[in-house]
Amino acid sequence: AREGRGAAAAGDTGGTGMDAPSAAGLGGADPQLQRFIEVETQKQRFQQLVHQMTELCWEKCMDKPGPKLDSRAETCFVNCVERFIDTSQFILNRLEQTQKSKSAFSESLSD
């Protein structure tokens, strides 16, 4: 059962890439519709991140599910979620820096 969930999570990430171009392709459409599509796309991305984080931390921290979380599993979940958030933020910052340096490089070439 674990392998099936992992495969589904890997396949889910491709869905957001499909939605973003459709929102960009509506250049002449109603601004309210564009905003609605952007918000829905952001919601979908957030839900996918939560799904990935939940699956990762569940696999890492839950040895044997029971009626109650023991303190070790609870601590593991807290640490896992915090590291997931830290890692995600680090990646976003790194991508942003890369984009900025590419833009600066492109601008210097055009001068």
Side-chain angles (χ1 to χ4, degrees):
R2 288 183 175 181
E3 293 82 20
R5 284 200 328 245
D12 288 347
T13 58
T16 51
M18 296 288 206
D19 293 336
S22 65
L26 294 172
D30 180 17
Q32 280 186 315
L33 177 61
Q34 282 182 309
R35 182 66 185 140
F36 174 77
I37 291 172
E38 288 171 8
V39 168
E40 291 303 310
T41 301
Q42 288 174 353
K43 285 180 188 178
Q44 182 183 17
R45 287 180 182 153
F46 178 76
Q47 288 172 344
Q48 287 177 344
L49 275 175
V50 169
H51 174 74
Q52 288 173 338
M53 179 180 58
T54 302
E55 186 167 351
L56 175 78
C57 294
W58 181 267
E59 295 293 328
K60 186 172 188 61
C61 299
M62 275 314 275
D63 295 330
K64 46 187 176 224
K68 229 174 130 173
L69 278 180
D70 62 4
S71 62
R72 187 202 64 77
E74 186 175 347
T75 301
C76 180
F77 275 113
V78 169
N79 288 333
C80 181
V81 169
E82 288 177 354
R83 295 305 68 81
F84 186 91
I85 291 169
D86 290 345
T87 303
S88 297
Q89 189 62 46
F90 173 80
I91 291 169
L92 285 174
N93 288 341
R94 187 66 162 195
L95 289 172
E96 192 174 289
Q97 287 174 353
T98 303
Q99 279 300 101
K100 285 180 182 176
S101 65
K102 282 183 181 179
S103 295
F105 181 72
S106 299
E107 289 175 11
S108 68
L109 288 178
S110 64
D111 289 341

